Amino acid sequence: MTSHTPKMAEQQQQQHTEGQADEDEAFEMLDLSTFARSHQWWNTVIGNNSGPMAEKYSVATQIMMGGFTGWCVGYLFQRVGKVTATAVGGGFLLLQIANHSGYVQVDWKKVEKDVNTAKRRLKKKANKAAPEINTFIEEASEFVKKNIVVSSGFVGGFLLGLAS
């Protein structure tokens, strides 16, 4: 009688699995890890493991990846920085010219008072947001430690992007 019990349990499990299969057929299930491994492009980006980049790519590849992304970010940072500096500086210059010509009267004491009020509010909000900022800084420094080659390539590329 004990020899029939495992077979009966297996049959019940099979019937239960078939019943679940009927319910699951209404939905298409997609396993992202299987999908990533079956598509060559994703396989090269994600890789077979999820460890640090040092385990996946050669040093030269890591430096090139970090350098290229750093250059792109540095270049964009330079362009956006120039536009922002031009807009802010030009606006301030126009305000000074208008003030000097008498078109605009600026109450500088009120401006100073408002700036000081904004500083106090910002300090209060910064003290409340400090735990999230500290967590982000810890995560970023951990990433840099694990991927030092890519990070150094990024910094070099960023500086080249700023200079170009």
Side-chain angles (χ1 to χ4, degrees):
M1 187 158 194
T2 57
S3 63
H4 294 291
T5 305
K7 286 184 180 179
M8 289 173 55
E10 184 179 315
Q11 288 174 349
Q12 288 175 350
Q13 179 65 28
Q14 186 178 11
Q15 288 173 352
H16 179 70
T17 306
E18 288 174 0
Q20 276 187 328
D22 291 340
E23 293 174 10
D24 290 341
E25 286 178 358
F27 301 102
E28 180 182 349
M29 295 178 62
L30 179 63
D31 183 13
L32 290 179
S33 61
T34 307
F35 177 79
R37 286 186 182 98
S38 66
H39 290 77
Q40 198 64 30
W41 184 80
W42 284 108
N43 191 21
T44 58
V45 173
I46 295 173
N48 293 329
N49 58 14
S50 60
M53 292 184 94
E55 297 173 2
K56 296 180 192 176
Y57 301 106
S58 69
V59 172
T61 304
Q62 292 179 57
I63 290 174
M64 286 184 353
M65 286 171 44
F68 179 72
T69 55
W71 182 83
C72 290
V73 171
Y75 186 77
L76 289 174
F77 193 80
Q78 175 208 29
R79 296 293 178 196
V80 170
K82 281 184 179 179
V83 170
T84 303
T86 303
V88 171
F92 186 71
L93 181 66
L94 287 175
L95 182 63
Q96 287 297 329
I97 291 171
N99 183 28
H100 185 68
S101 300
Y103 290 110
V104 177
Q105 287 294 99
V106 179
D107 186 2
W108 290 108
K109 291 186 187 240
K110 184 169 178 14
V111 170
E112 183 180 359
K113 180 182 146 195
D114 290 346
V115 166
N116 289 335
T117 303
K119 268 198 241 181
R120 277 187 262 120
R121 287 183 184 168
L122 190 60
K123 276 187 179 180
K124 285 181 184 178
K125 288 185 179 184
N127 290 337
K128 289 179 184 177
E132 292 102 14
I133 293 171
N134 289 337
T135 303
F136 175 74
I137 290 171
E138 289 171 6
E139 288 175 359
S141 63
E142 187 66 28
F143 176 81
V144 169
K145 287 176 187 175
K146 284 184 179 179
N147 301 297
I148 191 71
V149 177
V150 173
S151 301
S152 59
F154 180 86
V155 170
F158 182 79
L159 294 175
L160 286 173
L162 280 178
S164 61

